[in-house]
Amino acid sequence: MAGPTIPSQAGLVVTAETRVAETARAVVRGLTAYNTVKAGPSKWKRFAVSVRKDGVVRGGIVGSTMWNWCFIELLWIDEALRGTRIGTELMAKAEALAAKRGARHIYVDTFSFQGDGFYQKLGYETYGELGDFPPGHRRIWLKKDLP
């Protein structure tokens, strides 16, 4: 037996999209407007910090600040530079930039095969985890208060 049906509303169609970018822009616009009404302007602003050699990016961070938080979206360091404290320098620069923008907290998500122990050494604490994501590993969320 089929589950309960929801009466259709005239003209509304729910569909899997092929124009993802168009839909994403509309969702972001709508969500931003709603969030602003509920929480005030976020002052969302993206940033990047990089390490370069001969003009070539060898590592970097992409993040954003909003309200009083910073989110580290991406962190990558060329394999040849890992273990040289470049990651620590990049994070220090990102944290200082976030604090200058008014962030009092910072968070990041990573995988157990990426930077799990790295962030703890920098004072981050785990606040969430998903097992078997990807299979055989964990996805981990960490946070830290900024001075």
Side-chain angles (χ1 to χ4, degrees):
M1 179 171 176
T5 59
I6 300 171
S8 64
Q9 297 184 25
L12 296 179
V13 178
V14 176
T15 186
E17 273 295 346
T18 57
R19 296 180 307 256
V20 175
E22 175 188 344
T23 301
R25 283 190 299 275
V27 170
V28 167
R29 276 193 307 273
L31 188 57
T32 299
Y34 178 83
N35 289 350
T36 299
V37 168
K38 297 295 183 181
S42 70
K43 298 180 183 171
W44 180 87
K45 190 173 181 183
R46 210 162 190 206
F47 67 86
V49 178
S50 68
V51 58
R52 294 173 180 259
K53 183 173 182 179
D54 300 324
V56 177
V57 175
R58 300 289 302 276
I61 292 174
V62 176
S64 59
T65 53
M66 62 189 296
W67 291 298
N68 62 340
W69 281 85
C70 173
F71 173 52
I72 300 299
E73 300 171 39
L74 304 166
L75 167 62
W76 167 77
I77 300 168
D78 186 290
E79 192 102 23
L81 296 177
R82 294 179 191 171
T84 65
R85 301 197 43 83
I86 291 294
T88 300
E89 288 185 49
L90 285 168
M91 287 298 293
K93 183 73 89 175
E95 289 175 6
L97 191 145
K100 186 175 179 180
R101 290 184 179 185
R104 296 189 332 229
H105 317 278
I106 189 167
Y107 71 107
V108 62
D109 69 288
T110 190
F111 295 104
S112 55
F113 59 87
Q114 289 178 329
D116 185 10
F118 169 74
Y119 294 106
Q120 282 91 342
K121 289 177 187 172
L122 299 178
Y124 287 72
E125 63 181 63
T126 300
Y127 70 89
E129 187 174 304
L130 291 174
D132 211 32
F133 183 14
H137 301 280
R138 296 171 290 124
R139 187 164 190 174
I140 305 157
W141 284 264
L142 304 104
K143 66 181 177 127
K144 176 181 173 178
D145 293 332
L146 295 174

